[in-house]
Amino acid sequence: MNNQITSPSERKKKQITKLLIANRGEVAVRIIRTAKERGTATAIVYANQEIHALACELSDEAYTLDGITPEETYNSAQKIIACAQRCGAQAIHPGYGFLSEDPTFAQAVEDAGIIWIGPNAKTIRSLGDKIQARTLAANNQVRTIPGISQALNNSQKDLSAVKKFAQLHGLPIVMKQADSGGGRGITVLETSDDIKRFFSERAHTLTSTNTFVEKLFRHCRHVETQCLRDSFGTFAVLDTRDCSVQRRNQKVVEEAPAPFLSDECLSTIKRWSQALFEATDYVGAGTCEFLIDEAGKPYFLEVNPRLQVEHTVTEEITGVDLVEEQLRIAEGHAMSALALRYAVGSGNSTGHSIEVRVTSEDPANDLMPSTGTITCLVWPGGPGVRIDSAMRAGDTIGGDFDSLIAKIIVHAPTRNQAIARMKRALDECQIQGIPTSLPLLRHIIAHPDFQGSTRADTTLTSPDTKQNDAMTALFGVYTKWLEESGVFTQISTDLLEHDKALSSSLSACAVTAPCETVNAALPNLSLPQTSSTGKTILPNDKPFNRQRAIIEVNGQRMELTFPQGLFGNGDPHSASPLRPRQILRDRRASSTVDNAGSPASTDAIAPMQATVIHIAVTTGQTVKEGELLVVLEAMKMEKYIYASTDATIAEVCVSAGTTVQSGQMMVRLDVNSDQSPPSADSLSTNQPLTTETGAKS
């Protein structure tokens, strides 16, 4: 408890009667539901292509951001604040990702007289930069991962410093961007040649970001604490989470509480969490993340000053609504009585909860992001099953935003029972029309390494190293487990076909179009008329069927219900649904693959819909096989495109910042006639260095 903070009687409470949600997808839906339960009106902002989104339908009001890209919409601080002012919202909730960790946006919100749901800009700034956060942790006796806590430049001096660090601490090492999060901006360097290549090939990264280096722990676990601190200085840890099952540094499976940890480790990370929150005068909900090495020794990783994607498992075992706690604290109230129990040490979590992230990523194609329309969607149900999603049958997943379709969360009395419940839930879940990660998730949950020992429901408390080693042996999962254990390869080759056969046995589901005919009827609103004889003529008693359409009026999303046939497209008395008009596809630029034939296999072709973030070559330049051509970014993944053979750059067909479609020509190569054509497995998507990127989540 911080005694310097003002007492409750001196605090001024601020009631939030309308909340603007500056986000999209399942997190927007999640926040809307809590707001509705507490009687708070909601407003949502949306990109043009998401006018039919579930969040827009559930929210009391919805306002267009008049754009389609992230930068035009959910990353536009000016547009979002203008929408909040327009609709009279007292507060803005940023969700996670986009601007949720942007101190400049947080400050702008507060400067506009709007309540920011989260810690203040100063706190975000001190924790958002990973280099500053490492220094802050070290100054508060919180152990950090060995590293170089300063920004690196593309210089010989810094190259030598990184080489020296690698010699001292051993390879592999990891290069990180100080202002990134959610698994993005991370490059693993396995050899000394990788270090030299990083400094030569990734100059654009070093010059545009604060990049630093850390030792890479191979067999570590990712464990975090869910923390709350209110404006009166009360601090609480709402138990722990384990997020060790990861792919490309993105969390795949999360569970609470974190299993197989010693009492000493638990006590240490809770103590460190409180020290970090109090050192930054943190007010709100946040997460402290740690790496646990093979000996059970914890190291500070980072603090996420926002709601986490995996907050749901904490809610399931504690009963605490974390969004409600965020709103309470932002209004100036103390945390709830239920949360306060964890602050005074009397809170007891109940049972075990597991969450899996279902994404539109293809396990048969290295989990590459996929786009398309969901033609069938069947969610699991039953006791202890929770679905957090904003997707419905008929919804289209594009490449503009992340690939998350849903989170499936289960809760059960024990971890073993939670695993069994998740198996059942995943077997019930069916998604058609687009590749998903479901086959991989089913395999992970059933794997002995994830299930651990049959002692999974016991508590091991000895703090000595020998006992820590025994606990580590019980749980075979670590952050690089999917890549290094062969699990991912196995599911890609052995289980995917089985899953496809299982999915194909499900009959197709009906899809409801955004503009639909509703079977309910409106009364005939024609006024009674009087004949020449003075007799009243009643209107036709046959009711009109009604039609629903989504429209925008002065930039605000509204739903218009009208008699079918009002605009001359259908019999108003017919119950037959109207066929929605097909949206015409725009013709692509001349640089796309056209009917003239397929491009040469040596050319650099976009493997997916993505944004071009860097062009490494110019027209007329000569390149060697394996030399970097283009860097793409899509759905939390950075893709490096390399030359498949020695050649001359004949044409650069795209520019940085543009969006490319799958199959689109990016760089045309001119290969000498005596140059042998590349083999099928040497095409231009080779990626020697492991690099991941994406929106924060």
Side-chain angles (χ1 to χ4, degrees):
M1 182 82 67
N2 188 335
N3 295 326
Q4 295 181 350
I5 295 182
T6 56
S7 66
S9 61
E10 298 172 321
R11 284 270 173 192
K12 183 178 181 180
K13 306 295 188 301
K14 301 177 182 179
Q15 184 180 6
I16 299 173
T17 59
K18 180 180 283 189
L19 175 69
L20 183 125
I21 301 161
N23 217 298
R24 60 177 295 280
E26 54 84 25
V27 66
V29 171
R30 162 73 188 88
I31 296 167
I32 289 169
R33 286 170 172 159
T34 288
K36 283 183 177 292
E37 290 178 10
R38 74 193 311 263
T40 301
T42 58
I44 191 79
V45 291
Y46 61 91
N48 291 347
Q49 66 270 41
E50 299 192 302
I51 189 172
H52 296 291
L54 178 61
C56 290
E57 295 191 9
L58 294 180
S59 185
D60 298 299
E61 300 171 17
Y63 296 89
T64 179
L65 290 169
D66 193 23
I68 59 174
T69 67
E71 292 307 314
E72 292 172 335
T73 56
Y74 304 105
N75 281 327
S76 176
Q78 183 178 3
K79 288 182 179 180
I80 290 170
I81 292 174
C83 284
Q85 293 171 328
R86 174 183 176 182
C87 71
Q90 289 90 20
I92 291 179
H93 196 307
Y96 37 72
F98 298 119
L99 298 174
S100 63
E101 295 179 71
D102 188 329
T104 303
F105 179 54
Q107 188 62 59
V109 170
E110 294 176 356
D111 290 345
I114 301 171
I115 300 171
W116 168 255
I117 308 299
N120 62 36
K122 182 180 178 181
T123 299
I124 296 175
R125 190 171 284 109
S126 65
L127 296 171
D129 185 291
K130 290 181 171 58
I131 295 176
Q132 292 185 35
R134 282 175 56 87
T135 302
L136 174 71
N139 291 341
N140 286 274
Q141 291 72 55
V142 176
R143 182 169 48 241
T144 61
I145 300 168
I148 300 177
S149 297
Q150 64 183 41
L152 301 171
N153 296 311
N154 189 26
S155 66
Q156 187 62 42
K157 178 183 176 182
D158 284 347
L159 173 59
S160 299
V162 172
K163 287 182 177 179
K164 184 177 180 180
F165 175 83
Q167 290 172 352
L168 179 63
H169 294 279
L171 289 163
I173 60 175
V174 59
M175 309 295 289
K176 291 185 175 181
Q177 294 178 20
D179 60 349
S180 64
R184 71 184 181 99
I186 296 175
T187 304
V188 178
L189 306 180
E190 303 276 0
T191 67
S192 57
D193 286 341
D194 284 347
I195 297 174
K196 290 187 291 186
R197 182 166 185 171
F198 181 89
F199 273 80
S200 62
E201 187 176 274
R202 312 293 173 90
H204 69 282
T205 298
L206 291 170
T207 56
S208 62
T209 62
N210 290 329
T211 302
F212 67 104
V213 64
E214 284 183 345
K215 168 66 180 171
L216 177 67
F217 288 127
R218 275 293 190 197
H219 293 83
C220 63
R221 292 174 57 186
H222 182 123
V223 174
E224 53 193 38
T225 57
Q226 175 63 65
C227 306
L228 288 176
R229 187 170 181 265
D230 60 28
S231 57
F232 310 118
T234 306
F235 174 83
V237 172
L238 273 62
D239 222 303
T240 58
R241 297 188 288 253
D242 187 287
C243 309
S244 298
V245 182
Q246 300 182 8
R247 173 70 172 168
R248 303 190 188 105
N249 302 298
Q250 293 290 314
K251 299 166 185 174
V252 178
V253 179
E254 301 103 344
E255 58 181 307
F260 312 122
L261 293 180
S262 69
D263 279 354
E264 181 186 39
C265 182
L266 285 169
S267 175
T268 298
I269 62 176
K270 288 180 179 181
R271 184 177 72 253
W272 287 351
S273 299
Q274 183 166 4
L276 291 165
F277 265 51
E278 292 186 347
T280 56
D281 194 20
Y282 194 111
V283 176
T287 296
C288 296
E289 301 192 352
F290 306 92
L291 293 183
I292 314 295
D293 68 12
E294 292 181 270
K297 187 177 181 180
Y299 295 84
F300 169 72
L301 184 60
E302 62 181 338
V303 176
N304 283 301
R306 54 176 168 82
L307 196 68
Q308 291 277 98
V309 179
E310 61 273 19
H311 75 278
T312 56
V313 290
T314 297
E315 292 182 328
E316 292 300 308
I317 65 169
T318 64
V320 175
D321 183 332
L322 287 168
V323 174
E324 168 65 19
E325 296 298 326
Q326 287 184 298
L327 297 176
R328 283 181 59 89
I329 292 172
E331 288 178 326
H333 299 286
M335 65 180 70
S336 69
L338 183 58
L340 184 62
R341 293 171 55 194
Y342 289 87
V344 299
S346 62
N348 292 311
S349 302
T350 303
H352 200 89
S353 181
I354 301 174
E355 170 187 289
V356 297
R357 303 189 190 190
V358 183
T359 59
S360 58
E361 296 173 318
D362 189 356
N365 187 24
D366 195 34
L367 278 183
M368 290 288 288
S370 302
T371 59
T373 300
I374 297 175
T375 58
C376 176
L377 189 55
V378 179
W379 294 127
V385 178
R386 167 179 170 179
I387 306 297
D388 274 25
S389 177
M391 303 303 296
R392 298 166 294 182
D395 285 348
T396 297
I397 298 176
D400 297 313
F401 305 109
D402 66 76
S403 59
L404 184 64
I405 296 175
K407 300 180 303 189
I408 300 177
I409 308 103
V410 300
H411 182 228
T414 68
R415 185 173 188 268
N416 284 342
Q417 289 173 303
I419 290 173
R421 183 160 287 172
M422 181 60 79
K423 285 182 183 177
R424 188 263 298 170
L426 289 172
D427 285 342
E428 288 183 18
C429 185
Q430 297 291 341
I431 302 174
Q432 293 184 12
I434 189 170
T436 74
S437 60
L438 280 172
L440 178 62
L441 296 173
R442 292 178 181 128
H443 189 57
I444 291 170
I445 297 300
H447 199 284
D449 286 354
F450 178 79
Q451 294 186 13
S453 167
T454 55
R455 299 165 60 195
D457 300 318
T458 66
T459 301
L460 301 176
T461 58
S462 175
D464 65 279
T465 302
K466 183 177 180 181
Q467 188 67 18
N468 281 329
D469 289 341
M471 286 186 289
T472 301
L474 293 176
F475 194 46
V477 168
Y478 53 97
T479 55
K480 295 296 180 182
W481 174 70
L482 277 180
E483 291 90 343
E484 296 180 357
S485 65
V487 170
F488 184 73
T489 302
Q490 182 178 352
I491 185 61
S492 298
T493 57
D494 297 342
L495 296 183
L496 185 59
E497 289 305 318
H498 169 74
D499 186 80
K500 285 182 177 179
L502 185 66
S503 297
S504 64
S505 66
L506 186 69
S507 59
C509 298
V511 178
T512 302
C515 183
E516 60 183 316
T517 296
V518 184
N519 288 331
L522 290 175
N524 190 328
L525 299 180
S526 300
L527 295 175
Q529 297 182 12
T530 304
S531 68
S532 58
T533 61
K535 182 179 179 181
T536 299
I537 303 175
L538 296 176
N540 187 351
D541 292 331
K542 190 174 183 180
F544 283 111
N545 289 299
R546 67 178 183 178
Q547 184 176 352
R548 181 174 68 93
I550 303 301
I551 61 173
E552 278 181 4
V553 177
N554 194 24
Q556 181 176 355
R557 179 191 188 273
M558 292 185 177
E559 180 178 310
L560 176 66
T561 303
F562 54 90
Q564 181 174 315
L566 181 64
F567 300 109
N569 51 353
D571 180 358
H573 302 298
S574 171
S576 301
L578 297 177
R579 185 180 300 276
R581 179 175 295 179
Q582 192 82 349
I583 298 176
L584 297 178
R585 299 176 183 269
D586 293 333
R587 290 187 176 271
R588 300 297 176 192
S590 59
S591 59
T592 55
V593 181
D594 55 28
N595 295 331
S598 300
S601 59
T602 54
D603 296 328
I605 307 300
M608 58 188 174
Q609 182 178 339
T611 300
V612 179
I613 62 173
H614 179 63
I615 303 292
V617 294
T618 58
T619 302
Q621 177 182 341
T622 58
V623 293
K624 296 291 185 181
E625 179 181 350
E627 193 168 335
L628 180 67
L629 302 177
V630 180
V631 183
L632 302 176
E633 182 179 356
M635 291 187 179
K636 299 190 177 184
M637 188 182 73
E638 193 173 87
K639 189 71 173 176
Y640 280 65
I641 309 299
Y642 296 91
S644 59
T645 185
D646 296 352
T648 301
I649 304 299
E651 182 185 6
V652 178
C653 307
V654 295
S655 59
T658 59
T659 299
V660 293
Q661 303 299 317
S662 178
Q664 181 172 337
M665 176 73 69
M666 296 186 296
V667 178
R668 197 180 300 277
L669 301 182
D670 184 11
V671 182
N672 296 331
S673 58
D674 58 348
Q675 181 71 40
S676 300
S679 59
D681 58 357
S682 66
L683 295 180
S684 59
T685 54
N686 179 38
Q687 187 174 338
L689 300 183
T690 305
T691 303
E692 316 302 343
T693 186
K696 298 176 183 179
S697 64

